[in-house]
Amino acid sequence: MKRRDFVSAAAAIAAAPLLSPKGVGAVRGRAPLKANGARLNGWLAQFDQIGRTATGINRVAYSDADLAGRAFTLDLYRAAGLAPRIDAAGNIIARLEGSDPAALPIVIGSHIDSVTDGGNYDGPLGSFGAIEVARSLQEQRVRLRHPLEVVVWSCEEGGLVGSKLAIEDAGSMSLDSIARSGVTIREGIARVGGDVSRLEESLRKRGSAKCYIELHIEQGGLLDRAGLRVGVVQGIVGLRFLDVTIEGMGNHAGSTPMDQRQDAVLAAAKFTVAVNDAARGMPGRQVATVGRVVPSPNTRNVIAGRVDLTVDFRDLNPATLDALFVTLERQAAEIATATNTRFSIRTTQRSEPALADARMMDVIASSASALGLSSQRMPSGAGHDAQSMARIAPMAMIFVPSVGGISHAPQEFTKPEDCANGADMLLNAVVAVDALPS
Amino acid sequence: MKRRDFVSAAAAIAAAPLLSPKGVGAVRGRAPLKANGARLNGWLAQFDQIGRTATGINRVAYSDADLAGRAFTLDLYRAAGLAPRIDAAGNIIARLEGSDPAALPIVIGSHIDSVTDGGNYDGPLGSFGAIEVARSLQEQRVRLRHPLEVVVWSCEEGGLVGSKLAIEDAGSMSLDSIARSGVTIREGIARVGGDVSRLEESLRKRGSAKCYIELHIEQGGLLDRAGLRVGVVQGIVGLRFLDVTIEGMGNHAGSTPMDQRQDAVLAAAKFTVAVNDAARGMPGRQVATVGRVVPSPNTRNVIAGRVDLTVDFRDLNPATLDALFVTLERQAAEIATATNTRFSIRTTQRSEPALADARMMDVIASSASALGLSSQRMPSGAGHDAQSMARIAPMAMIFVPSVGGISHAPQEFTKPEDCANGADMLLNAVVAVDALPS
């Protein structure tokens, strides 16, 4: 089936009205387009100096370093012949007009803000890659039929803030919550040139874009370990965050017999093992993690009376998430009985899976083939602005390898050739999608 | 066998040269002695106001509240006709001479310092109980053959400091370590009237006492739950403290497949379950506790790369402790392999069990019978100054119930009638031991 889809996509590419005078394009049997990878890597190297501290990249949203990074990025837009504007949510947007005034825009982009003590590739690669694609198209005189929108979303690491506000998905978001930089989201957006009182005006409606494509580093080790160059993202996993409180009875570790304990640490341990067993006991690629464990008291010679822990579980299939939750609830009840403790489980966050568009996955797989790049289909375990855009348009993502699977850390690194491959992939995917029938 | 021991002890008691003009003593078929329980409870009620804060009793050793508590206690000594002195280690000692100038002293006592946010009974009951016994003996004109020493050990909660220094067991103790009150032990001892440069002079040598008897609250819930009035302590458990470090690999909770994880929290959970299973899987009353668990990082969406945890295990039998340690080492190796993590295990503290003297346990059980108090033999899971004294003399301890098994907490409570019972028990045990052949 994939093979047939591939041919179909390739045929669509062959029909693309590429306007390159040289006739170069991602057309079957002809050399694909190439972006300027060296230029892109030069930008990334320069950008690495903005917000770099002894403990990593610190360009948290709305900080001075973020403002400096945005100024750098606006210059890149302008140097690419684009006229950037800031929307009400603080996102940077520029538009390259296409040949068909009635066509919906193809939207590409990513973010440039970082986590605390993060790296230089998570976000900037896709943002600068998108600018590079717009610049290459113009330099190579490839005129698309569709307009091309190049977007740098604001405050992605704070919870997809810019992209959610752009699609009216701010229901669970408080503009008064405090961002990593210490200001409220409301203040931060004003700081970067947005205006939350005007959010309504710039809302993106369902069906208002041809598609959205985001280039990003993998943030995991699948590609690196497999020695593959490109990940064709099948979707962004849905997730459930649980806060679990286990209450037992604090007591003296020396004088309380084993059969009279209500040991919250023991109950938490059994539950942690159960979470792992549940995720591994089902077919599929679902993951489940107990990441945070806080006993009270947390001391050597006292049986802890309470443990607070978190569970994070994710999958592309919502039914799997529901089944996991049911299993964990049942396990908690059994462990509570066995250990004479009480469990309370609260779902603190849930997001539904955002699936990539099947036809666009085929386009991206075809582009990889045309570029001679090995690829595999894979889920994204991490969240991305593409989740937001998937709510209003067909979505696709292109992954390139993270060395050692490391991300959100100073050691985060993607090789220059993989960065260049990513830009080539995005360029050819845009051209191919431009040719797809609506 | 116990029955025969009982008769034997009672016979010994019957032979005691009690000098009471009224002929009242813990003699078979005659009424046992009674201490003044109301007076003792009055002292405890007054003492509750010294160092009482919003979060509990805070009479940590060498603090102003401890000094106030010691001043109060010195007054109790004097009111009991005793002349207290401070030894080089800061312990308060007074001696009631016996009829035989050559006889070794019977030593009784406890401590009055508290933990942070502790209660009013752990220590003071045994200390004031001992003073009350000396006072009752005089009031009731019971003259012992042996001298009676009434001791209040300094800084018990800081690691049996006063009693260890008194028996030359300071090998592992640094006088420069910081006590809870913020001063060094050296400074603290000077503050309470001791002088560490003179420690040698006051050392208690092996065989220098007839015996040591300590009255104490149980600090566990065995007596309270069983509805028993007295615990005849079989010994103070030995313990091993382990620091365990588990190293895995920190990684993204969303993008790392289950089969490629090196999850230190999961390994810690499996080990915690193994610790519990090991302790419960052997016959006996041994206990084992994972009390402290610290993942790094300790956050929702990251697989922890490291966990530090502690294991505390205790038993009266050193062979059981050794067997448990071997089991835990083997389990750690198996779990390390199963989870692709590394364990390192360090023994940070070990103390050997201190067994009570068999003949003295019989004396105490007999005293309980004579007083009409239900009793059971039981280990002490908590440490006591009696451990130190067991190194140089036959040792025994008398437990009375802690309501709800609570100790080292503001809710620590022992009923007035149990406090009074404790003093009666100590009084009759002293009289009975006084009559035992050497």
Side-chain angles (χ1 to χ4, degrees), chain A residues 9 12-13 16 26 105-107 144-146 210-213 357 359-364 367 394 396 426-438:
Chain A
I13 289 169
I106 294 169
V107 185
L144 303 179
R145 183 167 74 82
H146 298 77
K210 165 86 172 167
C211 66
Y212 176 73
I213 312 176
D357 180 76
R359 201 165 57 153
M360 291 179 61
M361 279 194 277
D362 292 339
V363 164
I364 289 166
S367 296
L426 183 61
L427 174 58
N428 287 282
V430 164
V431 169
V433 164
D434 186 58
L436 287 182
S438 293

Side-chain angles (χ1 to χ4, degrees), chain B residues 48-392:
Chain B
D48 187 75
Q49 290 159 45
I50 300 175
R52 168 68 70 185
T53 70
T55 53
I57 290 288
N58 280 284
R59 284 187 302 254
V60 301
Y62 317 135
S63 66
D64 288 347
D66 185 35
L67 290 179
R70 290 169 64 94
F72 177 92
T73 304
L74 289 166
D75 284 344
L76 294 187
Y77 269 87
R78 294 182 193 110
L82 300 168
R85 63 183 179 87
I86 311 296
D87 77 0
N91 304 308
I92 305 172
I93 306 175
R95 188 174 166 113
L96 186 64
E97 293 302 335
S99 61
D100 180 354
L104 294 172
I106 295 169
V107 185
I108 60 177
S110 189
H111 64 98
I112 56 167
D113 64 311
S114 77
V115 294
T116 304
D117 297 338
N120 191 45
Y121 297 84
D122 171 2
L125 172 63
S127 298
F128 299 170
I131 295 169
E132 170 55 36
V133 163
R135 188 160 172 177
S136 285
L137 285 171
Q138 294 171 86
E139 287 175 348
Q140 297 176 33
R141 299 179 187 280
V142 180
R143 188 162 193 204
L144 303 179
R145 182 168 75 84
H146 297 78
L148 182 69
E149 266 192 31
V150 178
V151 183
V152 174
W153 305 105
S154 67
C155 195
E156 191 264 1
E157 298 291 2
L160 315 182
V161 173
S163 61
K164 279 186 176 174
L165 292 177
I167 60 140
E168 200 173 18
D169 182 30
S172 63
M173 187 194 308
S174 166
L175 295 175
D176 295 314
S177 62
I178 308 292
R180 280 190 177 89
S181 53
V183 302
T184 63
I185 289 174
R186 185 188 306 278
E187 292 162 346
I189 287 175
R191 201 156 186 241
V192 299
D195 178 356
V196 294
S197 71
R198 289 173 35 239
L199 283 174
E200 278 291 326
E201 295 169 26
S202 57
L203 279 184
R204 293 173 184 269
K205 303 288 184 194
R206 175 177 289 273
S208 63
K210 165 90 173 167
C211 65
Y212 177 74
I213 312 176
E214 182 165 352
L215 165 65
H216 207 282
I217 62 168
E218 180 195 340
Q219 297 186 267
L222 292 180
L223 294 175
D224 188 48
R225 208 158 8 229
L228 298 171
R229 302 269 61 84
V230 170
V232 180
V233 175
Q234 298 166 299
I236 298 163
V237 296
L239 64 81
R240 304 273 190 282
F241 284 173
L242 309 182
D243 275 4
V244 179
T245 298
I246 304 170
E247 289 174 290
M249 173 78 78
N251 227 323
H252 195 294
S255 54
T256 312
M258 298 306 288
D259 61 358
Q260 287 166 25
R261 296 178 168 216
Q262 298 176 256
D263 184 342
V265 165
L266 177 65
K270 287 176 181 277
F271 186 67
T272 299
V273 173
V275 166
N276 186 66
D277 288 349
R280 301 193 73 155
M282 301 168 71
R285 298 177 91 155
Q286 62 282 343
V287 292
T289 307
V290 174
R292 180 173 159 82
V293 183
V294 182
S296 327
N298 199 5
T299 191
R300 175 186 298 286
N301 58 354
V302 178
I303 301 160
R306 173 177 173 139
V307 169
D308 292 279
L309 63 82
T310 60
V311 185
D312 166 327
F313 57 109
R314 311 190 190 199
D315 194 48
L316 278 180
N317 184 351
T320 302
L321 296 177
D322 291 341
L324 263 175
F325 184 77
V326 168
T327 301
L328 295 186
E329 272 198 319
R330 195 186 59 237
Q331 292 282 351
E334 290 177 15
I335 293 165
T337 301
T339 57
N340 200 10
T341 57
R342 292 176 301 286
F343 278 64
S344 72
I345 301 179
R346 297 168 304 291
T347 300
T348 56
Q349 198 172 326
R350 59 185 292 161
S351 71
E352 298 310 314
L355 297 182
D357 180 76
R359 201 166 56 154
M360 289 179 62
M361 280 193 278
D362 292 339
V363 164
I364 289 166
S366 301
S367 296
S369 293
L371 286 159
L373 300 173
S374 55
S375 70
Q376 70 174 7
R377 296 188 182 219
M378 57 183 292
S380 170
H384 297 287
D385 291 308
Q387 276 167 261
S388 303
M389 287 300 287
R391 304 274 296 275
I392 64 151

Side-chain angles (χ1 to χ4, degrees), chain A residues 117-202:
Chain A
D117 298 338
N120 191 46
Y121 296 85
D122 171 1
L125 173 63
S127 299
F128 298 170
I131 295 170
E132 169 56 33
V133 163
R135 186 160 173 176
S136 284
L137 285 170
Q138 295 172 85
E139 287 175 349
Q140 297 177 33
R141 298 179 187 282
V142 180
R143 188 160 194 207
L144 303 179
R145 183 167 74 82
H146 298 77
L148 183 70
E149 265 191 31
V150 178
V151 183
V152 174
W153 305 105
S154 68
C155 195
E156 192 264 359
E157 299 289 5
L160 315 182
V161 173
S163 61
K164 280 185 175 176
L165 292 177
I167 59 141
E168 202 173 16
D169 182 28
S172 63
M173 188 195 306
S174 166
L175 295 175
D176 295 314
S177 63
I178 308 293
R180 280 191 178 87
S181 53
V183 300
T184 64
I185 289 174
R186 186 188 305 279
E187 293 162 345
I189 288 176
R191 199 154 189 242
V192 299
D195 179 356
V196 293
S197 71
R198 289 172 37 238
L199 283 174
E200 278 292 326
E201 297 169 27
S202 59

Side-chain angles (χ1 to χ4, degrees), chain A residues 232-255:
Chain A
V232 180
V233 175
Q234 299 166 300
I236 298 162
V237 296
L239 64 81
R240 304 273 191 283
F241 284 172
L242 309 182
D243 276 2
V244 179
T245 299
I246 304 170
E247 288 173 290
M249 175 76 80
N251 227 324
H252 195 293
S255 54

